[in-house]
Amino acid sequence: MTSTAPYLDIRALPDFPMVEAGDDLAGLVLDGVARLGLALAPHDVVVLAQKVVSKAEGRLVRLADVVPSERAVALAGEVRKDPRLVELILTESVRVVRARPDVLIVEHRLGLTMANAGIDQSNVRHADGEAALLLPLDPDASAARLREEIARRSGVAPGIVINDSFGRPWRRGTTGIAIGAAGLPAIIDRRGETDLFGRTLRATMIAYADEIAASASLVMGQSTEATPVVLLRGLAWTAPDNPAATLIRAPEEDLFR
């Protein structure tokens, strides 16, 4: 369902500006591609850091505007976090998975199990007091809208991946994963195909969008790099498109719940 590309070109879009609420992401992406001296081509993939999508969609919240509930205040004492931040985490979540000093793992309303509901305070403006950035309301829909707008303006519809940094149980460190995707298969099911020796594959499903997100993270960075958008060229796929939501394991398949 995929062909092995002879190369994979991964380039951060240079001089990408700081994104604010209401900014035209499609225009900013196309301007960035032009600064590379390129034009979009079929099977190109544009990977965007979640932060720029959330900022453009106005998902920045001033903590001064948040009134913590009694539950948030109690939990904040347990995990040693700002009660206002904990209130946002609870609002964005459907359940608390683990709570320890300095650690709050929740199941996000999108189905993602993650630290702090993906809410972040790094690389955001705090000019009017402390602020926190929430995930997009619907990252797959955000990716689809961006793809459609880029296609309308350029005549080429690239794959879009919205990338977020994710910790993993049993492993240290974070890696990029896809929380939103459009125009490509987020997951490729190869069950039923055969391997080099004719043996039928019974369990092989490739987290294609996650692999794309992780590769883009190598040039995107997570600190002061200021390169939140990446162009990947050289990929090829024939599997049908499916959104990033298909990567989330169904509860009945989850052996650790």
Side-chain angles (χ1 to χ4, degrees), residues 85-96:
L85 183 61
V86 172
E87 178 64 28
L88 289 176
I89 294 169
L90 292 176
T91 300
E92 286 288 286
S93 307
V94 296
R95 70 184 178 106
V96 174

Side-chain angles (χ1 to χ4, degrees), residues 155-218:
V156 176
I160 300 291
V161 170
I162 299 175
N163 180 16
D164 197 8
S165 299
F166 227 68
R168 300 148 298 159
W170 305 296
R171 294 185 72 85
R172 290 178 173 175
T174 62
T175 186
I177 72 156
I179 64 168
L184 51 79
I187 192 166
I188 298 177
D189 188 350
R190 304 199 66 171
R191 293 173 296 180
E193 298 182 35
T194 55
D195 67 11
L196 289 172
F197 301 98
R199 185 179 179 85
T200 300
L201 302 176
R202 299 185 182 277
T204 303
M205 300 178 74
I206 301 169
Y208 196 59
D210 282 345
E211 292 187 333
I212 290 170
S215 63
S217 293
L218 293 172

